[in-house]
Amino acid sequence: MTQKLRAGIVGGTGMVGQRFIALLENHPWFQVTAIAASANSAGKTYEESVKGRWKLSTPMPDNVKNIPVQNASHIEEVASGVDLIFCAVDMKKNEIQALEEAYAKAGVPVISNNSAHRWTPDVPMVVPEINPEHLEVIAAQRKRLGTETGFIAVKPNCSIQSYVPMLTALRGFQPTQVVASTYQAISGAGKTFTDWPEMLDNVIPYIGGEEEKSEQEPLRIWGTVEDGAIVKASGPQITTQCIRVPVTDGHLATVFVSFENKPSKEEILESWKNYKGRPQELELPSAPKQFITYFEEDNRPQTNLDRDLENGMGISAGRLREDSLYDFKFVGLSHNTLRGAAGGAVLIAELLKAEGYITAR
């Protein structure tokens, strides 16, 4: 590609928006040309709008500091300067739905980090290695919205990516029951320890709405495209508990699973090692070379040691063993703000570009 596509970040001042900014700094395909946020930030430079609120450990990229922040609700103004947008806003569900549809109707591809459209029947919710075929519903969505170039695609909940990839690799053995507990970092709430000092030396056994998402969203990812809509899979049965723990980044999961056709431990390990998807086949810029990495050590994966595997885009697994109540149990780990949020959305955009859904406007 000789000329980079122009990317806008809607919700660019929040933690996930900042992560998008950092990830796209030297991206070979996309360049940030527009940043939009609330009316309170509009009119300031990006550097001014996030002064004292930059949450990442890496410095703010120089190439965005002087970009003027636009009002996210000024759809045509923002849309005129971009080929696609990444959306990560903090608004009510119905407001997000309306905002994203307005951008799509204006002809802009929207890759959303928000949950508002995850259950809209003709909006694909994608983990690129798992269900790229769901992009087929974009044609039906465009027809509904009355646009030839715009659409919405969303990424799923950040926590499920710490165990759904491993289960996906084992779907040939027909998992029937899954019990998962997730131990989720505070960045999943858009917080740091400075913002949330009560999380120090503390565990909170509740994250609003998270368990419902963790139990239902995998079934949509494993669903099928029928008549321009995604129909969720009927199984396996999944039950979860989601817990907030005093960790900066990284969601860890403990998983118990039973199968219709129980595999051997060796078959599971082989399935994980060999599993790959379209991002690996296409060698997309953000794709991990090895999607799932298994650690033989009893004390791995560890959040602090392993969340940055493959630039934060790899999935870690460990402690696979037979169980007395279920067939097997294991531990999974993913980086929640990279693979689970901004990085996952960038990978979706790369897949959409490679498959011809996003072009220069």
Side-chain angles (χ1 to χ4, degrees), residues 299-313:
N299 63 348
R300 303 282 289 278
Q302 290 182 30
T303 304
N304 192 32
L305 292 179
D306 303 312
R307 62 191 170 203
D308 292 320
L309 182 75
E310 297 267 10
N311 296 315
M313 294 296 289

Side-chain angles (χ1 to χ4, degrees), residues 15 43 62 101 138 145 160 216 251 287 297 317-319 321 349:
M15 178 178 270
D62 289 333
E101 285 204 356
I138 288 173
L145 296 176
I160 68 173
Q216 293 299 314
H251 289 352
E297 299 92 331
R319 301 208 67 209
R321 58 229 192 267

